[in-house]
Amino acid sequence: MINLFRSYNPLNILWLAVLVIALRIGYIIGAPDKLEFVFVESFARLLVPVSYEYALTPFLNVLLAGALVFAQALLLNKLVNQFNLLGKPSFLPALMYVTISALFTPFLILSAPLICNFLVIWMLYKLFSLYKGDDIKSSGYDLGMIVAIGSLIYLPFIYMFLAVWIALIIFRPFNWREWIAVILGYATIFFFLAVLYYLNDRFHTFYKIWLPLGTQFPNHISINNYTYVLLAPVVFILVLSVFKLQQGFFKSYVHIRKAFQLLLIMFIIAGLSFYVKRQFQLNHFLLCVVPVAITFAYYFLYTTSKWFYESLYLLLLAGIIYFQFNTF
């Protein structure tokens, strides 16, 4: 499987589609009668004045989620190859994205974090372009708007604002105008939301949008035991990927080193921002899939022991499918 996707062969797109379906069959068979889908935060509900939460059947919900994952995988693959993050073209980023985005059953259905991954990929296109840009104030403005749109869909996405500013530190010499442009872009979206609140006589509640940001960070979270079992191969591959990346880190171009630094920052920010939601939701960690998929792809592209990396990937794949049929 890994060897197949190591080559940049357009036929891999068909195999990728087959894998997307195969990784969802187990869940479709035992799917509940109803699946809720909420793609905007409650404070932005005025933007969608219709009832949509249960408009899709479970089958259509999972099918559409799979289609979104497939599209995101191809976009991510294009991003990685366009900026030459791995040093050679392949379909491994797409393979890793499709695999990791099926890791847990909450990942398999439509959710706000899944939709936000389109914005994460869009942000990366713009952030990786900062390095060679002369005047990037317009890009900063666009990035601020993207973060704001993501915040309307899923409030924890607001912390990607920090990733944008850190990217400016990593890729650019300090220019206060670029930093202000990001703020203006973010403020533009929420200005129009404030107008909508005013027109609906709800402006006095506008400040409550940001109250969840003051939620205390939890001391512990409750996770099923099978989740830890599935995380074991993921953590193991992640450790191997970090070591492999470290071996060639200083041999890479400056832009590539900066890009992987940014991916690490985005992974940390996305992972820690889960506390904003009152009820812990495992699908939040879909926001971490993009940087993890790129890192995994780097490892599987450059590791040399065929029997080991093929066995490792098949073990991960088998674990995902097994726990879809056996949730205990």
Side-chain angles (χ1 to χ4, degrees):
M1 181 72 76
I2 297 297
N3 266 359
L4 180 67
F5 283 86
R6 273 183 163 185
S7 63
Y8 191 65
N9 187 343
L11 288 177
N12 286 335
I13 296 176
L14 298 178
W15 288 112
L16 199 67
V18 171
L19 184 62
V20 169
I21 296 171
L23 286 171
R24 282 156 178 79
I25 291 177
Y27 184 75
I28 291 175
I29 292 174
D33 296 332
K34 285 186 177 181
L35 287 175
E36 184 182 20
F37 169 45
V38 179
F39 71 89
V40 290
E41 289 286 355
S42 57
F43 64 80
R45 198 63 177 80
L46 292 171
L47 300 173
V48 190
V50 293
S51 178
Y52 67 88
E53 287 82 357
Y54 296 98
L56 296 175
T57 63
F59 176 77
L60 287 177
N61 187 306
V62 177
L63 189 65
L64 184 54
L68 294 184
V69 167
F70 181 70
Q72 290 168 354
L74 294 180
L75 288 173
L76 179 62
N77 203 79
K78 182 182 177 183
L79 166 75
V80 173
N81 291 329
Q82 179 177 324
F83 289 97
N84 198 30
L85 296 185
L86 303 184
K88 59 179 77 172
S90 73
F91 271 94
L92 282 176
L95 175 66
M96 293 300 113
Y97 185 84
V98 165
T99 304
I100 303 170
S101 61
L103 190 62
F104 305 116
T105 51
F107 286 12
L108 301 176
I109 61 177
L110 288 173
S111 62
L114 178 61
I115 294 175
C116 283
N117 269 352
F118 278 111
L119 301 179
V120 172
I121 296 170
W122 189 11
M123 284 179 63
L124 287 175
Y125 268 102
K126 289 187 169 293
L127 291 172
F128 290 158
S129 300
L130 296 179
Y131 187 66
K132 295 183 179 179
D134 295 326
D135 186 3
I136 56 93
K137 290 190 288 293
S138 60
S139 295
Y141 184 84
D142 292 343
L143 285 164
M145 293 184 70
I146 293 172
V147 174
I149 293 171
S151 302
L152 298 181
I153 298 172
Y154 188 61
L155 185 59
F157 197 83
I158 192 173
Y159 282 107
M160 286 299 168
F161 199 95
L162 296 176
V164 176
W165 272 0
I166 292 173
L168 290 176
I169 295 173
I170 294 174
F171 289 110
R172 307 283 301 174
F174 178 75
N175 185 335
W176 66 270
R177 293 178 180 85
E178 296 172 356
W179 289 56
I180 296 299
V182 179
I183 298 176
L184 291 176
Y186 187 90
T188 299
I189 298 297
F190 275 87
F191 170 78
F192 287 110
L193 182 64
V195 171
L196 189 62
Y197 264 63
Y198 177 78
L199 293 176
N200 285 270
D201 197 27
R202 291 181 54 185
F203 191 73
H204 61 285
T205 64
F206 188 69
Y207 74 96
K208 294 182 179 179
I209 291 175
W210 293 279
L211 290 182
L213 299 180
T215 304
Q216 186 177 2
F217 200 83
N219 294 324
H220 68 280
I221 53 177
S222 179
I223 300 179
N224 294 333
N225 291 331
Y226 87 92
T227 302
Y228 291 108
V229 176
L230 271 177
L231 278 177
V234 172
V235 172
F236 182 63
I237 298 173
L238 188 59
V239 171
L240 293 177
S241 301
V242 171
F243 277 109
K244 179 63 69 174
L245 187 61
Q246 187 181 29
Q247 289 175 4
F249 187 74
F250 291 104
K251 299 176 183 178
S252 305
Y253 291 109
V254 174
H255 181 256
I256 304 303
R257 296 203 297 266
K258 290 178 179 290
F260 276 100
Q261 289 172 8
L262 176 61
L263 289 172
L264 174 61
I265 295 297
M266 293 185 73
F267 172 77
I268 294 172
I269 291 174
L272 294 180
S273 61
F274 73 91
Y275 83 96
V276 174
K277 305 296 289 185
R278 291 183 179 179
Q279 185 176 1
F280 174 73
Q281 296 175 317
L282 198 59
N283 60 16
H284 167 85
F285 296 101
L286 276 167
L287 295 177
C288 299
V289 172
V290 170
V292 172
I294 297 174
T295 307
F296 277 23
Y298 186 93
Y299 169 73
F300 282 109
L301 186 61
Y302 288 104
T303 188
T304 55
S305 182
K306 182 179 178 180
W307 72 269
F308 181 74
Y309 64 71
E310 291 285 3
S311 301
L312 192 59
Y313 177 73
L314 289 176
L315 177 65
L316 176 61
L317 205 62
I320 293 172
I321 295 174
Y322 177 79
F323 281 107
Q324 285 180 16
F325 285 95
N326 300 274
T327 55
F328 307 102

